[in-house]
Amino acid sequence: MSFGAGVPAVEVADLKDDDFLLDVREDDEWRAGHAEGALHIPLSEFAARYGELTEAAPDGGRVHVICRSGGRSAQVTMYLVQQGIDAVNVDGGMQVWAAAGRPVVTDAGEPGHVA
């Protein structure tokens, strides 16, 4: 799914294991399975919890924003870019992440799935 030239994006295949990942899916989606080490701030709570991102994000580093398919993360990416943060949308989201064989885990560290 493409969101136009205005949204900076990156392919799942281009992500490194130590890249900072922000997951903006809702709680039920997160519980079903997520990328290990990702920061979880649901889109519905993003404005109220924005400070958590600014504290957790690496200074001067890039924020890779992910959701299920790329729509919600594109919205957050554009907002972050407008705030002067180096942010990119992860094309295809967790669906492509899982299809590429990247690990999807639950909070207990067990295998999860993309809901």
Side-chain angles (χ1 to χ4, degrees):
M1 189 176 290
S2 176
F3 292 93
V7 180
V10 64
E11 300 290 327
V12 167
D14 296 329
L15 292 173
K16 297 173 191 67
D17 289 341
D18 61 346
D19 283 340
F20 183 83
L21 195 63
L22 169 64
D23 190 324
V24 297
R25 296 175 303 146
E26 296 304 315
D27 289 336
D28 59 327
E29 295 171 290
W30 172 265
R31 282 190 300 272
H34 53 270
E36 190 170 5
L39 173 65
H40 179 228
I41 303 177
L43 179 60
S44 63
E45 301 173 14
F46 188 76
R49 295 177 57 190
Y50 178 73
E52 291 178 42
L53 170 63
T54 58
E55 286 189 22
D59 285 338
R62 176 169 279 179
V63 176
H64 301 82
V65 189
I66 197 165
C67 66
R68 184 173 190 269
S69 62
R72 290 170 285 178
S73 54
Q75 294 173 22
V76 171
T77 298
M78 286 307 299
Y79 175 79
L80 293 175
V81 167
Q82 291 168 354
Q83 304 310 306
I85 294 173
D86 180 9
V88 292
N89 188 32
V90 178
D91 256 351
M94 287 297 296
Q95 290 178 322
V96 171
W97 178 278
R102 295 276 185 128
V104 178
V105 299
T106 65
D107 283 335
E110 298 174 4
H113 66 278
V114 177

XYZ file of all heavy atoms in Angstrom:
848
model
N 0.850 -1.175 0.000
C 0.000 0.000 0.000
C 0.892 1.233 0.000
O 1.805 1.351 0.797
C -0.874 -0.040 1.253
C -1.949 1.003 1.277
S -3.039 0.835 2.715
C -3.898 -0.653 2.318
N 0.643 2.146 -0.889
C 1.475 3.331 -1.011
C 0.716 4.556 -0.499
O -0.465 4.702 -0.759
C 1.868 3.539 -2.473
O 2.586 4.724 -2.623
N 1.431 5.423 0.188
C 0.802 6.617 0.746
C 1.364 7.889 0.141
O 1.310 8.942 0.729
C 0.941 6.615 2.277
C 0.124 5.536 2.900
C 0.685 4.308 3.163
C -1.218 5.724 3.164
C -0.079 3.289 3.706
C -1.988 4.708 3.697
C -1.417 3.495 3.976
N 1.931 7.783 -1.054
C 2.403 8.959 -1.759
C 3.823 9.330 -1.422
O 4.440 8.809 -0.503
N 4.332 10.261 -2.210
C 5.729 10.660 -2.087
C 6.008 11.436 -0.803
O 7.152 11.560 -0.401
C 6.129 11.497 -3.292
N 4.964 11.946 -0.151
C 5.178 12.758 1.035
C 5.500 11.979 2.291
O 5.939 12.563 3.276
N 5.303 10.669 2.276
C 5.552 9.861 3.465
C 6.840 9.073 3.273
O 6.897 8.172 2.444
C 4.388 8.879 3.745
C 4.676 8.043 4.982
C 3.081 9.627 3.903
N 7.888 9.414 4.037
C 9.122 8.639 3.911
C 8.880 7.203 4.382
O 8.205 6.981 5.384
C 10.117 9.373 4.811
C 9.302 10.245 5.695
C 7.984 10.468 5.028
N 9.397 6.253 3.622
C 9.140 4.849 3.938
C 10.396 4.009 3.782
O 11.346 4.396 3.105
C 8.040 4.316 3.031
N 10.347 2.850 4.415
C 11.434 1.886 4.339
C 10.814 0.499 4.206
O 9.714 0.250 4.709
C 12.353 1.988 5.589
C 11.615 1.615 6.851
C 13.603 1.166 5.427
N 11.497 -0.383 3.525
C 11.044 -1.764 3.372
C 11.463 -2.569 4.604
O 12.515 -2.313 5.195
C 11.671 -2.400 2.124
C 11.339 -1.686 0.823
C 9.894 -1.852 0.405
O 9.318 -2.916 0.687
O 9.356 -0.903 -0.191
N 10.657 -3.561 4.950
C 10.988 -4.442 6.076
C 12.376 -5.052 5.883
O 13.168 -5.139 6.817
C 9.920 -5.547 6.243
C 10.402 -6.644 7.182
C 8.609 -4.947 6.750
N 12.689 -5.449 4.663
C 13.976 -6.091 4.370
C 15.166 -5.187 4.681
O 16.276 -5.677 4.916
C 14.019 -6.526 2.907
N 14.944 -3.866 4.695
C 16.034 -2.922 4.943
C 16.254 -2.631 6.427
O 17.218 -1.946 6.786
C 15.768 -1.610 4.204
C 15.768 -1.799 2.692
O 16.497 -2.692 2.200
O 15.035 -1.064 2.012
N 15.371 -3.127 7.293
C 15.511 -2.876 8.726
C 16.587 -3.756 9.336
O 16.692 -4.940 9.018
C 14.183 -3.132 9.444
C 13.056 -2.153 9.128
C 11.766 -2.628 9.768
C 13.405 -0.770 9.618
N 17.359 -3.162 10.232
C 18.378 -3.905 10.982
C 17.801 -4.280 12.345
O 16.865 -3.651 12.827
C 19.622 -3.042 11.142
C 20.284 -2.675 9.826
C 21.410 -1.688 10.066
C 21.922 -1.078 8.789
N 20.949 -0.211 8.116
N 18.364 -5.293 12.956
C 17.857 -5.780 14.235
C 17.850 -4.714 15.322
O 17.005 -4.742 16.212
C 18.668 -6.989 14.717
C 18.402 -8.232 13.885
O 17.359 -8.275 13.180
O 19.226 -9.150 13.929
N 18.780 -3.753 15.268
C 18.864 -2.748 16.328
C 18.160 -1.434 15.981
O 18.254 -0.458 16.726
C 20.326 -2.485 16.704
C 21.155 -1.951 15.557
O 20.702 -2.009 14.379
O 22.278 -1.474 15.814
N 17.422 -1.392 14.864
C 16.671 -0.180 14.522
C 15.554 0.051 15.532
O 14.924 -0.897 15.999
C 16.071 -0.294 13.113
C 17.101 -0.071 12.019
O 18.156 0.531 12.297
O 16.845 -0.521 10.883
N 15.304 1.310 15.857
C 14.248 1.676 16.801
C 12.905 1.570 16.107
O 12.671 2.186 15.062
C 14.473 3.102 17.326
C 13.475 3.513 18.352
C 13.652 3.147 19.681
C 12.357 4.250 18.003
C 12.721 3.523 20.647
C 11.426 4.628 18.957
C 11.613 4.257 20.280
N 11.997 0.766 16.687
C 10.701 0.494 16.080
C 9.585 0.947 17.003
O 9.557 0.601 18.181
C 10.600 -1.013 15.823
C 9.502 -1.515 14.899
C 9.680 -0.973 13.485
C 9.518 -3.038 14.858
N 8.661 1.743 16.452
C 7.482 2.217 17.174
C 6.264 1.536 16.580
O 5.961 1.711 15.401
C 7.349 3.739 17.042
C 6.026 4.346 17.532
C 5.856 4.147 19.042
C 5.944 5.818 17.149
N 5.555 0.751 17.381
C 4.356 0.038 16.951
C 3.139 0.826 17.419
O 2.955 1.039 18.617
C 4.352 -1.365 17.558
C 3.284 -2.283 16.998
O 2.172 -1.795 16.702
O 3.547 -3.488 16.893
N 2.300 1.268 16.468
C 1.153 2.112 16.809
C -0.176 1.347 16.715
O -1.242 1.952 16.715
C 1.107 3.399 15.954
C 2.330 4.265 16.227
C 0.976 3.096 14.465
N -0.107 0.011 16.671
C -1.340 -0.782 16.645
C -2.012 -0.752 18.013
O -1.399 -0.403 19.015
C -1.030 -2.229 16.250
C -0.479 -2.350 14.820
C -0.075 -3.760 14.477
N 0.917 -4.231 15.435
C 1.016 -5.500 15.853
N 0.195 -6.420 15.421
N 1.946 -5.827 16.728
N -3.271 -1.142 18.037
C -4.029 -1.129 19.288
C -3.623 -2.301 20.178
O -2.940 -3.228 19.746
C -5.524 -1.125 18.998
C -5.988 0.137 18.273
C -5.645 1.434 19.002
O -5.842 1.531 20.234
O -5.182 2.391 18.333
N -4.042 -2.250 21.446
C -3.608 -3.221 22.448
C -3.876 -4.672 22.058
O -3.035 -5.536 22.268
C -4.265 -2.934 23.806
C -3.723 -1.670 24.459
O -2.585 -1.255 24.151
O -4.441 -1.088 25.293
N -5.061 -4.958 21.497
C -5.378 -6.340 21.139
C -4.453 -6.854 20.037
O -4.021 -8.011 20.058
C -6.848 -6.490 20.736
C -7.238 -5.623 19.552
O -6.685 -4.510 19.395
O -8.111 -6.064 18.775
N -4.100 -5.997 19.096
C -3.176 -6.386 18.028
C -1.783 -6.642 18.599
O -1.105 -7.609 18.220
C -3.092 -5.280 16.979
C -4.385 -5.028 16.228
C -4.298 -3.792 15.375
O -4.261 -2.665 15.934
O -4.259 -3.942 14.146
N -1.348 -5.778 19.504
C -0.036 -5.916 20.150
C 0.041 -7.225 20.921
O 1.027 -7.950 20.823
C 0.200 -4.721 21.066
C 1.419 -4.828 21.929
C 1.469 -5.278 23.219
C 2.764 -4.482 21.584
N 2.752 -5.224 23.690
C 3.574 -4.743 22.716
C 3.358 -3.967 20.435
C 4.947 -4.517 22.719
C 4.726 -3.738 20.443
C 5.505 -4.006 21.575
N -1.010 -7.526 21.707
C -1.001 -8.752 22.514
C -0.913 -10.002 21.655
O -0.292 -10.986 22.046
C -2.241 -8.812 23.404
C -2.145 -7.920 24.639
C -3.272 -8.191 25.623
N -4.592 -7.974 25.059
C -5.231 -6.799 25.059
N -4.675 -5.755 25.624
N -6.429 -6.686 24.517
N -1.517 -9.977 20.469
C -1.483 -11.147 19.579
C -0.061 -11.430 19.102
O 0.330 -12.588 18.963
C -2.407 -10.931 18.388
N 0.705 -10.368 18.890
C 2.090 -10.548 18.468
C 2.685 -9.251 17.956
O 1.997 -8.437 17.340
N 3.964 -9.080 18.246
C 4.667 -7.855 17.858
C 6.147 -8.156 17.650
O 6.612 -9.243 17.974
C 4.496 -6.777 18.937
C 4.885 -7.243 20.302
N 3.977 -7.832 21.158
C 6.066 -7.243 20.950
C 4.607 -8.164 22.290
N 5.876 -7.811 22.175
N 6.853 -7.166 17.140
C 8.298 -7.283 16.985
C 8.941 -7.110 18.356
O 8.611 -6.176 19.093
C 8.812 -6.225 16.023
N 9.838 -8.017 18.692
C 10.513 -7.938 19.982
C 11.310 -6.640 20.074
O 11.971 -6.231 19.121
C 11.461 -9.132 20.153
C 12.008 -9.261 21.535
C 12.747 -10.561 21.757
O 12.927 -11.330 20.802
O 13.132 -10.802 22.901
N 11.184 -5.969 21.202
C 11.926 -4.740 21.441
C 11.249 -3.475 20.947
O 11.748 -2.376 21.182
N 10.120 -3.600 20.264
C 9.418 -2.414 19.760
C 8.791 -1.643 20.923
O 8.403 -2.234 21.932
C 8.334 -2.820 18.765
N 8.685 -0.335 20.755
C 7.950 0.503 21.697
C 6.499 0.514 21.238
O 6.220 0.734 20.057
C 8.508 1.928 21.699
C 7.733 2.959 22.525
C 7.780 2.604 24.019
C 8.290 4.356 22.286
N 5.571 0.274 22.173
C 4.155 0.225 21.819
C 3.431 1.450 22.348
O 3.341 1.660 23.556
C 3.521 -1.047 22.398
C 2.065 -1.162 22.114
N 1.142 -1.469 23.089
C 1.361 -1.007 20.970
C -0.060 -1.498 22.552
N 0.044 -1.217 21.270
N 2.934 2.267 21.431
C 2.061 3.389 21.767
C 0.925 3.360 20.749
O 1.118 3.734 19.587
C 2.791 4.747 21.724
C 3.993 4.769 22.659
C 1.811 5.872 22.091
C 4.808 6.059 22.606
N -0.259 2.881 21.149
C -1.371 2.802 20.201
C -1.719 4.172 19.615
O -1.620 5.194 20.299
C -2.529 2.287 21.057
C -1.903 1.660 22.249
C -0.627 2.414 22.485
N -2.125 4.167 18.355
C -2.512 5.408 17.699
C -3.566 6.155 18.514
O -3.496 7.378 18.650
C -3.041 5.126 16.288
C -3.514 6.336 15.498
C -2.393 7.345 15.305
C -4.089 5.902 14.167
N -4.506 5.430 19.111
C -5.585 6.065 19.877
C -5.077 6.779 21.133
O -5.778 7.606 21.696
C -6.639 5.024 20.263
O -6.073 4.037 21.107
N -3.849 6.478 21.563
C -3.268 7.108 22.749
C -2.035 7.951 22.411
O -1.376 8.466 23.313
C -2.862 6.019 23.758
C -3.999 5.134 24.216
C -3.523 3.968 25.074
O -2.360 3.968 25.534
O -4.322 3.040 25.270
N -1.731 8.066 21.124
C -0.450 8.643 20.727
C -0.252 10.075 21.218
O 0.808 10.402 21.749
C -0.265 8.564 19.210
C 1.107 8.970 18.783
C 2.173 8.109 18.961
C 1.341 10.222 18.250
C 3.458 8.486 18.596
C 2.612 10.609 17.886
C 3.679 9.735 18.055
N -1.260 10.910 21.052
C -1.107 12.314 21.460
C -0.818 12.425 22.954
O 0.068 13.174 23.374
C -2.355 13.114 21.093
N -1.539 11.656 23.769
C -1.362 11.720 25.219
C -0.035 11.116 25.670
O 0.498 11.498 26.710
C -2.520 11.001 25.914
N 0.502 10.189 24.897
C 1.713 9.476 25.305
C 2.946 9.855 24.479
O 3.981 9.185 24.537
C 1.457 7.967 25.228
C 0.391 7.510 26.220
C 0.078 6.034 26.099
N 1.254 5.210 26.259
C 1.272 3.894 26.003
N 0.174 3.284 25.595
N 2.383 3.203 26.157
N 2.857 10.937 23.742
C 3.945 11.372 22.859
C 5.282 11.487 23.596
O 6.328 11.137 23.068
C 3.562 12.698 22.206
C 4.623 13.277 21.312
C 4.892 12.716 20.075
C 5.358 14.398 21.704
C 5.866 13.246 19.244
C 6.330 14.935 20.880
C 6.581 14.355 19.658
O 7.547 14.879 18.842
N 5.243 11.943 24.843
C 6.467 12.094 25.624
C 7.214 10.786 25.826
O 8.444 10.773 25.936
N 6.498 9.674 25.878
C 7.158 8.365 25.999
C 8.046 8.092 24.793
O 9.132 7.535 24.929
C 6.120 7.247 26.119
C 5.360 7.253 27.420
C 4.311 6.166 27.463
O 4.593 5.012 27.020
O 3.194 6.449 27.925
N 7.577 8.509 23.618
C 8.377 8.312 22.411
C 9.623 9.174 22.453
O 10.725 8.702 22.199
C 7.563 8.630 21.159
C 8.388 8.673 19.871
C 8.997 7.310 19.561
C 7.564 9.191 18.727
N 9.455 10.453 22.796
C 10.617 11.347 22.778
C 11.659 10.930 23.805
O 12.852 11.143 23.600
C 10.189 12.815 22.989
O 9.500 12.942 24.225
C 9.300 13.284 21.843
N 11.227 10.306 24.906
C 12.184 9.813 25.900
C 12.873 8.537 25.443
O 14.043 8.314 25.728
C 11.483 9.570 27.237
C 11.152 10.850 27.963
C 10.657 10.599 29.368
O 10.944 9.514 29.929
O 9.975 11.488 29.912
N 12.160 7.668 24.738
C 12.697 6.363 24.369
C 13.493 6.379 23.062
O 14.406 5.574 22.885
C 11.558 5.350 24.250
N 13.144 7.279 22.159
C 13.793 7.307 20.846
C 15.263 7.690 20.989
O 15.616 8.524 21.823
C 13.076 8.298 19.932
N 16.110 7.091 20.173
C 17.539 7.429 20.241
C 17.790 8.865 19.790
O 17.195 9.324 18.808
C 18.179 6.420 19.281
C 17.083 5.981 18.370
C 15.809 6.100 19.140
N 18.638 9.578 20.516
C 18.970 10.955 20.146
C 19.559 10.982 18.740
O 20.536 10.306 18.459
C 19.987 11.551 21.130
C 19.359 11.910 22.461
O 18.131 12.106 22.499
O 20.092 11.974 23.459
N 18.929 11.754 17.877
C 19.422 11.875 16.513
C 19.195 10.637 15.666
O 19.639 10.584 14.525
N 18.515 9.637 16.219
C 18.278 8.401 15.488
C 16.943 8.406 14.784
O 16.091 9.264 15.011
N 16.770 7.434 13.954
C 15.547 7.310 13.162
C 14.501 6.497 13.913
O 14.819 5.518 14.578
C 15.882 6.644 11.833
C 14.675 6.371 10.967
C 15.079 5.965 9.597
N 15.398 7.203 8.854
C 15.805 7.225 7.603
N 15.977 6.101 6.937
N 16.045 8.374 7.009
N 13.242 6.905 13.766
C 12.102 6.179 14.320
C 11.413 5.458 13.164
O 10.972 6.097 12.201
C 11.108 7.134 15.027
C 9.877 6.371 15.502
C 11.796 7.842 16.191
N 11.349 4.138 13.244
C 10.675 3.317 12.237
C 9.288 3.011 12.780
O 9.162 2.359 13.811
C 11.461 2.031 11.992
C 12.854 2.279 11.520
N 13.882 2.568 12.391
C 13.370 2.303 10.278
C 14.990 2.755 11.691
N 14.702 2.603 10.402
N 8.241 3.509 12.099
C 6.877 3.406 12.598
C 6.166 2.267 11.860
O 6.205 2.203 10.624
C 6.109 4.730 12.423
C 4.768 4.666 13.139
C 6.942 5.914 12.932
N 5.505 1.401 12.644
C 4.856 0.229 12.062
C 3.455 0.048 12.640
O 3.195 0.416 13.784
C 5.730 -1.037 12.294
C 5.325 -2.187 11.375
C 5.730 -1.450 13.761
C 6.368 -3.299 11.307
N 2.549 -0.464 11.803
C 1.207 -0.859 12.245
C 0.894 -2.187 11.551
O 1.815 -2.938 11.219
C 0.170 0.223 11.965
S -0.154 0.547 10.217
N -0.342 -2.483 11.318
C -0.685 -3.767 10.690
C -0.317 -3.772 9.208
O 0.315 -4.691 8.726
C -2.169 -4.075 10.875
C -2.570 -5.438 10.334
C -4.024 -5.762 10.702
N -4.328 -7.134 10.398
C -4.825 -7.544 9.234
N -5.060 -6.667 8.283
N -5.086 -8.821 9.036
N -0.730 -2.708 8.479
C -0.496 -2.704 7.031
C 0.180 -1.441 6.507
O 0.592 -1.399 5.362
C -1.819 -2.913 6.289
O -2.705 -1.848 6.569
N 0.276 -0.416 7.318
C 0.988 0.797 6.913
C 0.184 2.074 6.924
O 0.751 3.153 6.769
N -1.123 2.008 7.118
C -1.964 3.206 7.101
C -1.817 4.074 8.335
O -1.549 5.273 8.243
N -1.998 3.477 9.492
C -1.889 4.246 10.741
C -0.465 4.720 10.953
O -0.223 5.851 11.397
C -2.354 3.399 11.927
C -3.848 3.140 11.933
C -4.236 2.119 12.971
N -3.854 0.778 12.496
C -4.025 -0.333 13.184
N -4.544 -0.289 14.404
N -3.674 -1.494 12.685
N 0.488 3.870 10.626
C 1.888 4.257 10.812
C 2.274 5.394 9.870
O 3.104 6.236 10.227
C 2.814 3.053 10.645
O 2.605 2.392 9.420
N 1.662 5.453 8.691
C 1.937 6.576 7.779
C 1.467 7.888 8.398
O 2.152 8.913 8.300
C 1.254 6.341 6.434
N 0.310 7.868 9.055
C -0.200 9.075 9.717
C 0.762 9.541 10.806
O 1.083 10.729 10.911
C -1.567 8.802 10.335
C -2.660 8.519 9.341
C -3.945 8.093 10.036
O -4.165 8.377 11.207
N -4.802 7.402 9.309
N 1.222 8.603 11.624
C 2.142 8.950 12.713
C 3.477 9.411 12.146
O 4.074 10.371 12.637
C 2.319 7.757 13.683
C 3.430 8.031 14.692
C 1.003 7.468 14.395
N 3.941 8.756 11.098
C 5.203 9.155 10.472
C 5.138 10.604 10.011
O 6.054 11.392 10.278
C 5.540 8.232 9.283
O 5.707 6.892 9.767
C 6.804 8.682 8.579
N 4.061 10.977 9.333
C 3.934 12.358 8.858
C 3.903 13.343 10.024
O 4.522 14.402 9.953
C 2.689 12.520 7.978
C 2.850 11.895 6.601
S 4.339 12.439 5.702
C 4.039 14.191 5.577
N 3.217 13.001 11.082
C 3.179 13.865 12.261
C 4.593 14.038 12.825
O 5.014 15.157 13.136
C 2.244 13.290 13.323
C 2.271 14.086 14.600
C 1.574 15.284 14.711
C 3.024 13.659 15.692
C 1.621 16.030 15.878
C 3.073 14.403 16.858
C 2.379 15.585 16.948
O 2.433 16.336 18.102
N 5.316 12.936 12.971
C 6.669 12.999 13.542
C 7.604 13.823 12.665
O 8.391 14.631 13.170
C 7.229 11.597 13.752
C 6.516 10.754 14.814
C 7.074 9.345 14.844
C 6.613 11.409 16.189
N 7.503 13.647 11.357
C 8.329 14.430 10.436
C 8.020 15.921 10.604
O 8.929 16.756 10.633
C 8.114 13.958 8.979
C 8.704 14.937 7.976
C 8.704 12.561 8.785
N 6.749 16.257 10.759
C 6.360 17.660 10.964
C 6.924 18.215 12.272
O 7.119 19.416 12.406
C 4.843 17.798 10.940
C 4.243 17.560 9.579
C 2.732 17.421 9.608
O 2.101 17.398 10.666
N 2.127 17.312 8.428
N 7.194 17.324 13.238
C 7.779 17.742 14.515
C 9.304 17.793 14.450
O 9.974 18.038 15.457
C 7.359 16.781 15.641
C 5.859 16.625 15.815
C 5.128 17.943 15.895
O 5.444 18.798 16.704
N 4.137 18.122 15.028
N 9.872 17.504 13.290
C 11.323 17.544 13.117
C 12.025 16.252 13.496
O 13.252 16.231 13.643
N 11.272 15.171 13.645
C 11.855 13.873 14.004
C 12.117 13.081 12.736
O 11.296 13.063 11.816
C 10.910 13.093 14.949
C 10.818 13.850 16.284
C 11.374 11.668 15.154
C 9.807 13.291 17.254
N 13.274 12.434 12.672
C 13.611 11.566 11.540
C 12.792 10.285 11.693
O 13.122 9.412 12.492
C 15.109 11.262 11.550
C 15.543 10.372 10.395
O 14.732 10.119 9.481
O 16.697 9.916 10.425
N 11.695 10.189 10.954
C 10.786 9.051 11.056
C 10.479 8.508 9.666
O 10.426 9.263 8.697
C 9.489 9.464 11.746
N 10.294 7.183 9.599
C 9.922 6.530 8.350
C 8.832 5.506 8.621
O 8.791 4.885 9.688
C 11.119 5.845 7.657
C 12.128 6.865 7.151
C 11.794 4.844 8.568
N 7.959 5.348 7.653
C 6.894 4.358 7.715
C 7.448 3.017 7.239
O 8.147 2.953 6.230
C 5.739 4.801 6.807
C 4.518 3.939 6.942
O 4.219 3.409 7.992
N 3.793 3.794 5.846
N 7.136 1.946 7.959
C 7.548 0.612 7.529
C 6.498 0.099 6.541
O 5.364 -0.200 6.929
C 7.716 -0.342 8.729
C 8.098 -1.732 8.239
C 8.763 0.193 9.704
N 6.878 0.051 5.260
C 5.964 -0.352 4.191
C 5.372 -1.735 4.441
O 6.101 -2.680 4.712
C 6.700 -0.374 2.846
C 6.369 0.797 1.963
O 5.449 1.563 2.295
O 7.026 0.937 0.922
N 4.051 -1.812 4.370
C 3.366 -3.093 4.529
C 3.157 -3.537 5.959
O 2.458 -4.507 6.213
N 3.783 -2.845 6.909
C 3.566 -3.097 8.324
C 3.896 -4.498 8.797
O 4.727 -5.212 8.219
N 3.223 -4.884 9.879
C 3.469 -6.178 10.506
C 3.078 -7.350 9.602
O 3.620 -8.446 9.739
C 2.742 -6.280 11.849
C 3.364 -5.459 12.957
S 5.066 -5.962 13.392
C 4.813 -7.633 14.002
N 2.171 -7.116 8.662
C 1.823 -8.189 7.728
C 3.038 -8.574 6.897
O 3.345 -9.764 6.739
C 0.666 -7.759 6.820
C -0.649 -7.654 7.554
C -1.773 -7.183 6.647
O -1.582 -6.330 5.795
N -2.950 -7.745 6.855
N 3.755 -7.594 6.372
C 4.956 -7.868 5.589
C 6.074 -8.361 6.510
O 6.848 -9.248 6.147
C 5.379 -6.623 4.779
C 6.739 -6.827 4.131
C 4.328 -6.307 3.733
N 6.163 -7.788 7.717
C 7.152 -8.226 8.700
C 7.056 -9.741 8.915
O 8.041 -10.465 8.810
C 6.907 -7.477 10.001
C 7.799 -7.835 11.154
C 7.652 -8.898 12.001
C 8.963 -7.131 11.608
N 8.640 -8.890 12.946
C 9.451 -7.823 12.730
C 9.612 -5.983 11.174
C 10.588 -7.398 13.415
C 10.734 -5.559 11.868
C 11.214 -6.258 12.971
N 5.849 -10.211 9.210
C 5.637 -11.641 9.465
C 5.874 -12.468 8.201
O 6.498 -13.530 8.253
C 4.234 -11.876 10.011
N 5.393 -11.987 7.063
C 5.565 -12.710 5.797
C 7.042 -12.837 5.418
O 7.439 -13.810 4.764
C 4.790 -12.012 4.690
N 7.857 -11.882 5.869
C 9.296 -11.915 5.582
C 10.045 -12.847 6.531
O 11.262 -12.996 6.430
C 9.868 -10.506 5.664
N 9.310 -13.446 7.469
C 9.946 -14.376 8.397
C 10.565 -13.722 9.610
O 11.273 -14.373 10.376
N 10.281 -12.446 9.803
C 10.782 -11.758 11.000
C 10.012 -12.269 12.209
O 8.821 -12.574 12.111
C 10.594 -10.245 10.884
C 11.390 -9.584 9.784
C 12.798 -9.283 10.263
N 13.549 -8.555 9.266
C 14.197 -7.418 9.512
N 14.185 -6.873 10.707
N 14.867 -6.838 8.552
N 10.661 -12.364 13.368
C 9.965 -12.912 14.536
C 8.820 -12.042 15.035
O 8.930 -10.815 15.073
C 11.066 -13.015 15.601
C 12.258 -12.311 15.071
C 12.055 -12.043 13.621
N 7.731 -12.700 15.386
C 6.556 -12.084 15.983
C 6.335 -12.787 17.310
O 6.197 -14.006 17.344
C 5.311 -12.224 15.070
C 4.088 -11.624 15.740
C 5.565 -11.579 13.711
N 6.359 -12.016 18.412
C 6.292 -12.607 19.744
C 5.177 -11.979 20.572
O 4.712 -10.882 20.281
C 7.633 -12.452 20.503
C 8.769 -13.153 19.776
C 7.976 -10.983 20.723
N 4.788 -12.683 21.625
C 3.854 -12.138 22.611
C 4.667 -11.496 23.724
O 5.893 -11.605 23.754
C 2.967 -13.246 23.206
O 3.808 -14.140 23.949
C 2.212 -14.001 22.123
N 3.984 -10.850 24.673
C 4.695 -10.256 25.809
C 5.442 -11.303 26.622
O 6.433 -11.003 27.283
C 3.724 -9.490 26.714
C 3.335 -8.140 26.124
O 4.108 -7.589 25.313
O 2.252 -7.636 26.473
N 4.975 -12.554 26.579
C 5.625 -13.649 27.304
C 6.815 -14.210 26.539
O 7.475 -15.135 27.018
C 4.616 -14.757 27.590
N 7.087 -13.661 25.337
C 8.213 -14.131 24.552
C 7.907 -15.373 23.727
O 8.801 -15.951 23.114
N 6.648 -15.759 23.703
C 6.238 -16.920 22.911
C 5.905 -16.486 21.494
O 5.647 -15.309 21.259
C 5.049 -17.589 23.576
C 5.361 -18.116 24.970
C 4.126 -18.651 25.681
O 3.033 -18.689 25.085
O 4.265 -19.034 26.856
N 5.892 -17.433 20.542
C 5.518 -17.063 19.181
C 4.127 -16.444 19.134
O 3.208 -16.923 19.779
C 5.541 -18.395 18.434
C 6.484 -19.261 19.225
C 6.281 -18.841 20.648
N 4.008 -15.365 18.389
C 2.731 -14.671 18.243
C 2.304 -14.664 16.794
O 2.919 -15.314 15.939
N 1.257 -13.905 16.500
C 0.771 -13.769 15.133
C 0.273 -12.344 14.934
O 0.025 -11.614 15.897
C -0.349 -14.787 14.839
C -1.585 -14.543 15.631
N -1.741 -14.968 16.932
C -2.741 -13.900 15.300
C -2.936 -14.589 17.376
N -3.559 -13.949 16.402
N 0.136 -11.954 13.685
C -0.357 -10.615 13.367
C -1.863 -10.669 13.289
O -2.439 -11.421 12.501
C 0.242 -10.110 12.032
C -0.330 -8.745 11.686
C 1.761 -10.058 12.128
N -2.498 -9.880 14.160
C -3.974 -9.850 14.200
C -4.490 -8.676 13.401
O -3.854 -7.679 13.252
C -4.429 -9.726 15.650
